[in-house]
Amino acid sequence: MSIKSFIPAKLNLPMLWFTDVTLPVLNKFLYNLDTIDVTDSDKKTLKSLQKERLVYISNHPTTEEPGVAYHSANIMGSRFHYMAAREVFEWGAGLIGDFIQSIGAFSVLAGVPDRESLKASRDLLASPGGKLVLFPEGEPTSGMNDTLLPFQPGVAQLTFWSYEDALKKDEDAKLFLLPTFIKYRMTNSIQWMQKDIDQSLTKMESKLGISKTGKDIVHRFLSVGKRMIEREEKEFGISVEPEKAEDFDYRIGRMRHVILDNIANKTKIQNWDESANAIEKLRKILSFLEMVSVGIPGPNGEVLSMELATWAKRAASKAYDFITIQTNYIKELPSAERLYEFLYRYENELFGETKKRPHKAIVRLGAPFQIGDFYPQYKQDKKKAVDTVTNHLRQNMETLLNDELQKSNPLFPSQYIFA
């Protein structure tokens, strides 16, 4: 199927200059992002790639990464292009689409053969100095900065195709990949964050009718989460086996699958695999809903009603919240960043909204490498070469992630018990 609703990038110099100047203000207004830190060494690396064809590879735990990548492009003294979900171009009565289109974004429909988007990507990277930002974790964002979702091999495959296109124009063409890891850190004082988290949890506990007395911070989070699960189980008519009553992770896992399978059943998504993992299920649902949002009918010509589509989006958002709640994540390290990641999900679930607290982005670069170094292997065994590059990217980013992880500490003293 050829997608007719492709929206190309249309770089607009006045809008680019405006964004260059106002980016810090935009990041603060939209995300409460205070600063973006890049070391002098990494700035030098970025500037060295100014005239090269480049795929800028980044982790994608939130919606803030494109703005951080734009900052990297400014340091480089270049312009990046970005893929954005097709439905984003309709937000704000199309004003959001006009803006991101003018600064280098073009549309892509996930889960379908979007040939026009693929062609735009290849043409861009085959051109001298072309630069494209890609997120190999794909959508949805994980919401967890200290983890990486499975990488999608399409990123490496696109790079190989683009390199072959470039070679047709220039037998000496080079195409670089730059692995990048972004770590977000809270910027308020320890005392401020401790008080803020305590106050927010207290509000939740009051709403749910539970006490904080005698619990440490992790157990307070788990108590709130358990009560949230109990409410959802009651709503969906799910009974709890006595031997599973204390298995919080099991109950969360079951709930997310019940919600996702319910969405698929009501919207009649075809070829649904109930045995798939939750992220794969959610990706399929979001892809289906995105096609609905831009008026693309299903395989049998059916069009989902707006009422059902709205319900499905709300339910998918709820399932996403449960996917991102993993208890070991805060048991192992109750850092400020991890606690706030949980808190945002809880606030969104219980109060219908949340607000990000002040934080900064730390950008870490891996060593750039040329896809041409893997091209001889690609000519012999395409799948193996794609897997090799995908694994190479992931290993680079895991190294950067682990380096930053070593700098994280628990926010509350281990002996701190709330009275």
Side-chain angles (χ1 to χ4, degrees):
M1 179 178 68
S2 177
I3 305 302
K4 302 296 185 183
S5 53
F6 174 70
I7 298 179
K10 293 182 179 179
L11 292 179
N12 179 290
L13 282 178
M15 187 60 73
L16 285 163
W17 293 333
F18 169 80
T19 306
D20 293 344
V21 173
T22 61
L23 184 65
V25 176
L26 291 172
N27 279 331
K28 183 64 177 178
F29 175 75
L30 293 173
Y31 306 114
N32 211 352
L33 182 64
D34 288 333
T35 60
I36 301 173
D37 295 347
V38 184
T39 65
D40 290 341
S41 174
D42 283 345
K43 287 179 181 178
K44 185 177 180 180
T45 297
L46 286 169
K47 291 174 182 177
S48 72
L49 297 166
Q50 182 188 47
K51 297 181 180 180
E52 305 292 348
R53 297 177 181 87
L54 176 71
V55 182
Y56 179 99
I57 305 291
S58 172
N59 60 321
H60 196 24
T62 73
T63 57
E64 300 177 40
E65 289 72 57
V68 177
Y70 193 98
H71 179 77
S72 293
N74 279 349
I75 293 173
M76 183 182 292
S78 186
R79 299 297 181 190
F80 289 174
H81 281 76
Y82 314 80
M83 285 185 179
R86 175 60 182 80
E87 64 177 343
V88 175
F89 289 83
E90 305 302 325
W91 291 357
L95 293 177
I96 299 296
D98 290 342
F99 170 68
I100 63 175
Q101 188 181 19
S102 69
I103 62 171
F106 57 90
S107 69
V108 61
L109 276 166
V112 297
D114 192 342
R115 296 188 179 91
E116 289 175 279
S117 183
L118 176 61
K119 182 179 185 301
S121 301
R122 292 176 63 166
D123 289 346
L124 172 69
L125 291 174
S127 302
K131 294 175 177 63
L132 179 63
V133 177
L134 293 177
F135 303 109
E137 294 173 277
E139 299 290 346
T141 58
S142 69
M144 295 181 289
N145 199 182
D146 288 342
T147 65
L148 292 172
L149 293 176
F151 280 18
Q152 300 183 27
V155 170
Q157 180 61 77
L158 171 61
T159 308
F160 276 119
W161 283 336
S162 301
Y163 180 63
E164 287 185 321
D165 294 341
L167 288 176
K168 295 174 184 177
K169 301 179 180 180
D170 177 6
E171 62 181 12
D172 296 320
K174 297 177 181 178
L175 174 53
F176 287 84
L177 289 88
L178 179 62
T180 307
F181 181 76
I182 301 166
K183 173 64 182 177
Y184 298 103
R185 294 206 180 272
M186 311 308 294
T187 52
N188 272 322
S189 70
I190 291 176
Q191 292 75 20
W192 187 96
M193 290 187 289
Q194 289 175 339
K195 182 180 179 181
D196 179 53
I197 289 176
D198 177 36
Q199 289 178 337
S200 182
L201 282 176
T202 299
K203 185 179 177 182
M204 296 179 201
E205 290 159 339
S206 175
K207 182 179 178 68
L208 295 170
I210 55 180
S211 172
K212 70 179 181 180
T213 304
K215 299 173 183 174
D216 62 22
I217 194 65
V218 171
H219 285 92
R220 288 183 70 188
F221 269 93
L222 296 182
S223 294
V224 171
K226 182 178 179 181
R227 187 59 58 89
M228 286 167 49
I229 287 293
E230 289 171 350
R231 295 198 325 170
E232 294 302 321
E233 288 170 338
K234 184 177 180 179
E235 180 180 333
F236 280 88
I238 300 173
S239 59
V240 181
E241 307 93 323
E243 65 273 15
K244 295 291 188 180
E246 299 304 318
D247 192 340
F248 189 37
D249 286 321
Y250 166 78
R251 292 171 69 178
I252 291 175
R254 181 177 60 173
M255 179 52 61
R256 64 177 71 122
H257 282 282
V258 166
I259 295 172
L260 293 166
D261 291 342
N262 189 39
I263 296 171
N265 180 56
K266 288 189 175 182
T267 57
K268 296 181 172 57
I269 295 179
Q270 296 196 346
N271 302 317
W272 184 255
D273 181 6
E274 290 195 357
S275 66
N277 67 51
I279 286 292
E280 289 173 348
K281 288 182 176 181
L282 184 57
R283 282 173 174 163
K284 186 161 187 174
I285 287 171
L286 294 179
S287 175
F288 173 78
L289 293 177
E290 185 180 4
M291 287 190 289
V292 168
S293 72
V294 296
I296 298 175
N300 297 320
E302 71 279 10
V303 178
L304 208 63
S305 71
M306 188 58 65
E307 181 181 2
L308 185 54
T310 300
W311 169 84
K313 286 182 179 180
R314 284 200 303 265
S317 177
K318 184 184 291 289
Y320 173 67
D321 285 340
F322 285 120
I323 288 172
T324 58
I325 296 173
Q326 298 181 16
T327 60
N328 283 338
Y329 192 63
I330 58 169
K331 285 180 179 178
E332 294 170 352
L333 177 61
S335 64
E337 290 75 28
R338 291 190 182 192
L339 291 178
Y340 271 110
E341 287 169 0
F342 258 63
L343 196 75
Y344 296 151
R345 295 297 168 210
Y346 282 8
E347 289 177 337
N348 191 56
E349 181 64 26
L350 288 174
F351 306 128
E353 62 179 1
T354 188
K355 60 177 181 179
K356 287 203 170 185
R357 279 59 164 187
H359 59 289
K360 65 180 179 179
I362 298 170
V363 180
R364 295 284 311 279
L365 303 185
F369 63 94
Q370 295 186 46
I371 195 66
D373 293 341
F374 298 87
Y375 192 58
Q377 180 187 15
Y378 180 77
K379 289 193 290 186
Q380 293 183 346
D381 189 332
K382 290 181 171 57
K383 184 180 184 307
K384 187 174 181 180
V386 166
D387 289 343
T388 298
V389 172
T390 302
N391 291 334
H392 184 70
L393 284 168
R394 186 176 182 89
Q395 289 168 6
N396 270 264
M397 292 173 68
E398 284 178 341
T399 297
L400 298 171
L401 183 158
N402 289 327
D403 286 347
E404 285 301 317
L405 192 55
Q406 302 306 311
K407 304 171 187 176
S408 298
N409 296 299
L411 178 60
F412 288 81
S414 58
Q415 73 275 13
Y416 194 99
I417 304 297
F418 293 85

